[in-house]
Amino acid sequence: MSEESIRRPGGRSARVRAAVLDATLAELADGGYDQLTVEAIVARSGVHKATLYRRWGGIDGLIADVLSRSVEQPWQVPDTGSLGGDLHAITRLIYEGFTDPEQGAIPRNLIVAALRSSQAAQALTGFFETQHGLAAEVVSRAVRRGEVPEGTDAVDVVRTACAPLYYRLFVTGEPLEEEAAGRAAEAALAAARAGAFLPRERPA
Amino acid sequence: MSEESIRRPGGRSARVRAAVLDATLAELADGGYDQLTVEAIVARSGVHKATLYRRWGGIDGLIADVLSRSVEQPWQVPDTGSLGGDLHAITRLIYEGFTDPEQGAIPRNLIVAALRSSQAAQALTGFFETQHGLAAEVVSRAVRRGEVPEGTDAVDVVRTACAPLYYRLFVTGEPLEEEAAGRAAEAALAAARAGAFLPRERPA
């Protein structure tokens, strides 16, 4: 595929970006960060190597831009009518994202890459900041419905629901089962209801 | 330092192992997995390169054995008299372990190594299985004291308390502050008290 054959909405620059980042994602799905090469992305995208180096600097810049693009494509935050339902839906999304037999390697390899590149790490932190901020809406709604106390730290509820899934995936290496995703949602819900995410009085 | 100059309790084999694994830890504290070389460990330990390759196979085998040795040296599980106190003590130990200016790089680099080597990953999973099993004792005691309901999944309480710390360190890249460690302990405690870790009835 030549650079010219790429037909995408947006200007030429947007088309080149889409082709290169899609190729980066496809390579991340096939192999890991260790296998990721500029040459493979050039071959897959049909974009010239010089263009790629000029615009992204190299692999780490590509990974950072993949994460930036993900942030530009916001997801539909669940709205099931209850905090429990919403937290279950969020942890289920994460479970499905990482266990998908074809696409699951992509988010995994993005996070592993971030552990090895400060540029990718910065982009990943920004990515999660955005995702947490969007997901926090499920807690704000629950506060308005009176499900959890006013003053609940919404982002911390989200972190608590999500963290046990990532803990299995990236730290302990325990299998991630659907049931574990549900239990993480339940635990965050119970803790939020009990007021565990209210600001704490500090000792004077 | 020559192999002969190493004076440690145990036989020669135990002394060689101690010297090599201590050198591996020291190298992990100085640099990351990427910088870790057999040559540097040979230089630091004074153990012959051939001995090292014969016994450990290489870097991944060394990292796996570092983790095995950690399991052989069990830590003192906190016993403060309350589940809240014990969970706070456990999350504080993790916080201190990873934020120590001199030694904090060691556990971090061990986990990053495990994400890149299946041999190290297997050893890390075994390491966490042991740690979780030991820490679960704080929940068993709390059940006996009537603090949390009978049937509470003790290991899942421990996972829930620890996961938010690792989530910051290895996934989102958010700073790990002492306060976040305390909040993770509080959330796990509140969820356990509320019965979130009891076996769930499954739909028929």
Side-chain angles (χ1 to χ4, degrees), chain A residues 34 88 108 111-112 114-116 121 124-126 128 132 153 155-156 158-160 162-174 179-180 182-184 186-188 190-191 194-198 200 202, chain B residues 34 88 108 111-112 114-116 121 124-126 128 132 153 155-156 158-160 162-174 179-180 182-184 186-188 190-191 194-198 200 202:
Chain A
D34 282 323
H88 272 273
R108 179 176 179 84
I111 290 176
V112 171
L115 287 168
R116 301 182 50 199
L124 192 70
T125 300
F128 276 103
H132 286 166
D153 184 328
V155 170
D156 227 26
V158 172
R159 283 194 198 97
T160 303
C162 302
L165 283 77
Y166 290 92
Y167 184 55
R168 286 173 180 265
L169 289 164
F170 294 98
V171 181
T172 70
E174 293 170 285
E179 211 193 325
R183 281 201 310 271
E186 282 301 310
F197 302 107
L198 290 172
R200 303 186 61 71
R202 290 150 185 274
Chain B
D34 282 323
H88 272 275
R108 179 177 179 84
I111 290 175
V112 171
L115 287 167
R116 302 182 50 200
L124 193 70
T125 300
F128 275 103
H132 285 167
D153 184 328
V155 170
D156 226 24
V158 171
R159 283 193 197 97
T160 303
C162 302
L165 283 76
Y166 289 92
Y167 184 55
R168 287 173 178 263
L169 288 166
F170 294 97
V171 181
T172 70
E174 295 170 286
E179 211 191 326
R183 282 202 309 271
E186 283 301 310
F197 301 107
L198 290 172
R200 303 185 63 70
R202 290 147 185 276

Side-chain angles (χ1 to χ4, degrees), chain A residues 12-33:
Chain A
R12 184 173 178 287
S13 167
R15 290 196 302 273
V16 167
R17 184 183 182 218
V20 169
L21 299 189
D22 287 350
T24 306
L25 282 176
E27 288 295 319
L28 276 174
D30 284 354
Y33 178 80

